[in-house]
Amino acid sequence: MPETSTTFPVSPPRAWAEVSLANLRHNYEAVKNHQQGHVMAVLKAGGYGHGIVEIAQELEKSPPESAPAFMGVASVIEARKLAEAGIRTRIYLLGPTCPFEREEIVARGWTPCISSMEEGEHFNQLISDFQQASPTKRLRVHLTVDTGMGRGGFLPDSLLRNIESLDQMDSLELEGIGSHLPSADEDEKFTQAQFEQFDSLVESLGIERFRFRHLANSAGLLGYQSRTTNLYRPGLMLYGISPLPKYQPTLKPVMSLKSRVSLVRELPAGQGISYGRDTVLEKDTKVATVGIGYGDGYPREISLRSGEVWIRGQRCSLLGRVTMDQIMVDVSHLDPVSYTHLRAHET
Ligand SMILES: *Cc1c(COP(=O)(O)O)cnc(C)c1O
């Protein structure tokens, strides 16, 4: 009904997220510069909440020599989203697949990782059924080894026992081998041992046997070296988060959460702020109410620590608990002139 929209201005949102593709690009360059090798861009959970298709499209614009070799996703639903958006980079499924997902994986040529003989046999069977017209075509798969994560993969002994049978599955091409790090950001000794175990295992199987060898997530890529790997699987780093604090300055945040100031008041000492009244003002304070809360994804736990927001380039401390759609912040130190155009205020 255009009539209504001409009688009053349509309100802009109170809270929104902005995603910087330029910062994504910066972080991708940081990944490429940190260690030589191929990259699997980890895009699971909707590109860590940044928009899986938009992130994939931006990364795919890289020149061919530096573009990601794979996009790593959590499920066939995510794989389908990328394929249907026209993404041409190879798609890799990071976890084990369910039997009912495998036909689609085969038909679309996505790359699964294999943790058990059962999966290998099923894929092998599906491909020979599917490829009867052109029996020479094989499905490229990666083997996963469990070197400590406890979530998937062949245990190293079991892989050694079964590798020959896997090799004999005519419709599979064992293109890669990978493992995952549970505590590369917390336990250096364990992680070093894991790298050693993985490298030794790959060497004993023969490095040349696998075109892609991969172990490192962001923390592994930033902090560790391997003798055998040539593919890295960064997620966090792409989005601007360094699991190893030392490298945080080399990355730029991709998402920023923004909102508007809806009210500014001078409140007296003794005034309680927000639910529970666990914050009581010790002195007269200028308090801004901002239109974002946990219903918008601003974490409620932030109130327990000392949260901060930026208003016009200045840090302002959170006062009291985060409510569902509003927070209160101390703006006593801000220039009063900046409140003349409340609409323009962003935190
Ligand atoms: C999520 C995930 C990654 C990416 O980890 P980050 O810590 O975000 O870099 C890499 N590999 C696997 C198997 C994963 O599940």
Side-chain angles (χ1 to χ4, degrees), residues 58-131:
E58 176 62 25
L59 293 175
E60 207 171 66
K61 285 185 198 151
S62 316
E65 65 281 6
S66 64
F70 296 91
M71 308 269 180
V73 299
S75 67
V76 294
I77 299 207
E78 290 187 331
R80 215 184 286 147
K81 260 190 201 146
L82 292 182
E84 284 168 4
I87 294 297
R88 307 178 67 89
T89 307
R90 291 181 59 189
I91 294 173
Y92 181 93
L93 292 141
L94 288 156
T97 57
C98 298
F100 55 81
E101 297 174 319
R102 295 179 191 151
E103 223 173 312
E104 182 174 2
I105 293 169
V106 167
R108 305 237 207 185
W110 297 330
T111 304
C113 63
I114 290 188
S115 286
S116 64
M117 294 305 285
E118 180 273 324
E119 289 168 273
E121 282 156 9
H122 190 201
F123 273 115
N124 193 46
Q125 186 55 48
L126 284 171
I127 295 145
S128 39
D129 295 349
F130 185 76
Q131 298 286 7

Side-chain angles (χ1 to χ4, degrees), residues 25-39:
R25 170 78 32 214
H26 170 94
N27 298 334
Y28 185 65
E29 300 300 329
V31 165
K32 292 297 291 188
N33 292 334
H34 198 82
Q35 289 202 44
Q36 286 289 313
H38 303 286
V39 173

Side-chain angles (χ1 to χ4, degrees), residues 284-301:
D284 294 355
T285 305
K286 191 154 49 157
V287 177
T289 301
V290 180
I292 189 167
Y294 61 81
D296 304 293
Y298 190 87
R300 193 166 183 272
E301 311 82 72

Side-chain angles (χ1 to χ4, degrees), residues 263-273 279-289 316-320 328-334 339:
L263 183 68
V264 180
R265 293 182 303 159
E266 301 278 355
L267 295 179
Q271 169 77 49
I273 306 286
T279 297
V280 175
L281 297 178
E282 283 168 10
K283 52 181 172 26
D284 294 355
T285 305
K286 191 154 49 157
V287 177
T289 301
C316 303
S317 302
L318 206 65
L319 294 169
M328 278 67 78
V329 296
D330 184 343
V331 293
S332 303
H333 57 304
L334 291 198
Y339 294 105

Side-chain angles (χ1 to χ4, degrees), residues 59-226:
L59 293 175
E60 207 171 66
K61 285 185 198 151
S62 316
E65 65 281 6
S66 64
F70 296 91
M71 308 269 180
V73 299
S75 67
V76 294
I77 299 207
E78 290 187 331
R80 215 184 286 147
K81 260 190 201 146
L82 292 182
E84 284 168 4
I87 294 297
R88 307 178 67 89
T89 307
R90 291 181 59 189
I91 294 173
Y92 181 93
L93 292 141
L94 288 156
T97 57
C98 298
F100 55 81
E101 297 174 319
R102 295 179 191 151
E103 223 173 312
E104 182 174 2
I105 293 169
V106 167
R108 305 237 207 185
W110 297 330
T111 304
C113 63
I114 290 188
S115 286
S116 64
M117 294 305 285
E118 180 273 324
E119 289 168 273
E121 282 156 9
H122 190 201
F123 273 115
N124 193 46
Q125 186 55 48
L126 284 171
I127 295 145
S128 39
D129 295 349
F130 185 76
Q131 298 286 7
Q132 263 163 7
S134 59
T136 52
K137 196 121 193 271
R138 298 192 294 169
L139 183 74
R140 293 173 291 190
V141 303
H142 292 210
L143 302 177
T144 308
V145 200
D146 191 346
T147 57
M149 179 69 185
R151 190 173 67 173
F154 288 91
L155 292 172
D157 286 349
S158 147
L159 182 63
L160 291 169
R161 276 198 311 278
N162 286 301
I163 186 80
E164 295 311 327
S165 325
L166 286 158
D167 253 342
Q168 279 158 21
M169 295 183 183
D170 286 339
S171 301
L172 301 187
E173 177 187 335
L174 307 184
E175 179 196 45
I177 184 164
S179 187
H180 193 38
L181 304 168
S183 45
D185 53 344
E186 290 174 24
D187 187 341
E188 190 176 340
K189 195 156 161 257
F190 179 82
T191 307
Q192 290 293 5
Q194 238 192 319
F195 268 84
E196 180 54 40
Q197 185 187 20
F198 184 78
D199 284 341
S200 308
L201 180 72
V202 171
E203 284 163 344
S204 73
L205 293 169
I207 290 194
E208 298 306 325
R209 191 170 196 156
F210 303 102
R211 181 165 163 229
F212 293 109
R213 289 120 18 213
H214 48 104
L215 174 58
N217 52 6
S218 299
L221 166 68
L222 286 167
Y224 299 83
Q225 300 281 331
S226 154

